[in-house]
Amino acid sequence: MSAYFIPMIIIALVVYSIYKRNNAYNSFVVGAKKSFELIYVTFPYIVAILAIVAIYNASGLNMWVAKIFAPILNIFGVPVELTELIILKNFTGGGSIAILENIFTNYGVDTYIGKCASVVMASSEAIFYISAVYFSKTKIEKYKYLIPLCLCINFFSAIVACFVCRFI
């Protein structure tokens, strides 16, 4: 079915464009031109976030922060082994996939820790990366409560994810 899904979407867009009497090709070209502008505007922010994540990992700060937060997460029933994943997921999706793979290798996919790691990975987002890209384009400047709120929600989602995995 997935092999037919994308061609069906393309056909539906062409039919809709004909119905609305819109030049689909011209709309595509205009959208492609705007994508270059988006890349030009967001590129410095993306580079900054990737550099921060690389420095964070290379300095060993990630292990230090994980050791600090492990007892707090353990109080809420989150396995200590997931601490680094929960913290790094806020910064980068790619780096957290590497940690997830490490968790799967060490503890297995069907274990409680493996299930919790999968659900935590699916129920959280790379807040700082998404915020850098989004705010660079929208020019929103009043977002001082957004990042702490998102961090609290990611923390809460990890707790709920591990709680739900106890019953799976």
Side-chain angles (χ1 to χ4, degrees):
M1 175 150 172
S2 63
Y4 300 110
F5 191 69
I6 292 178
M8 286 173 33
I9 289 175
I10 293 172
I11 291 170
L13 287 172
V14 169
V15 169
Y16 181 74
S17 179
I18 292 170
Y19 173 74
K20 287 290 192 174
R21 299 183 191 266
N22 188 7
N23 186 347
Y25 181 75
N26 188 39
S27 297
F28 176 78
V29 170
V30 169
K33 284 180 184 177
K34 288 183 180 180
S35 69
F36 287 117
E37 178 186 327
L38 177 67
I39 290 169
Y40 179 74
V41 170
T42 60
F43 186 72
Y45 297 95
I46 293 170
V47 170
I49 289 295
L50 293 176
I52 290 168
V53 168
I55 292 168
Y56 177 74
N57 287 332
S59 68
L61 187 60
N62 59 342
M63 298 305 289
W64 184 73
V65 171
K67 286 179 184 178
I68 290 173
F69 283 105
I72 297 167
L73 291 171
N74 199 19
I75 291 171
F76 292 104
V78 178
V80 176
E81 296 83 4
L82 301 181
T83 307
E84 188 177 5
L85 175 67
I86 293 168
I87 293 168
L88 192 62
K89 179 64 177 158
N90 295 311
F91 294 97
T92 175
S96 55
I97 288 174
I99 294 171
L100 179 68
E101 183 181 352
N102 190 24
I103 290 171
F104 287 162
T105 302
N106 292 336
Y107 302 102
V109 179
D110 291 330
T111 62
Y112 173 67
I113 294 172
K115 290 177 185 178
C116 286
S118 296
V119 178
V120 164
M121 194 66 181
S123 66
S124 61
E125 189 53 66
I127 294 168
F128 293 102
Y129 178 81
I130 298 298
S131 297
V133 171
Y134 177 75
F135 291 132
S136 71
K137 186 62 180 168
T138 60
K139 307 291 190 261
I140 294 174
E141 295 178 4
K142 296 179 181 180
Y143 54 87
K144 70 178 185 178
Y145 297 115
L146 182 67
I147 300 294
L149 178 65
C150 290
L151 290 172
C152 290
I153 290 170
N154 265 4
F155 175 72
F156 183 70
S157 71
I159 294 169
V160 171
C162 292
F163 178 75
V164 169
C165 286
R166 289 183 186 197
F167 302 107
I168 297 177

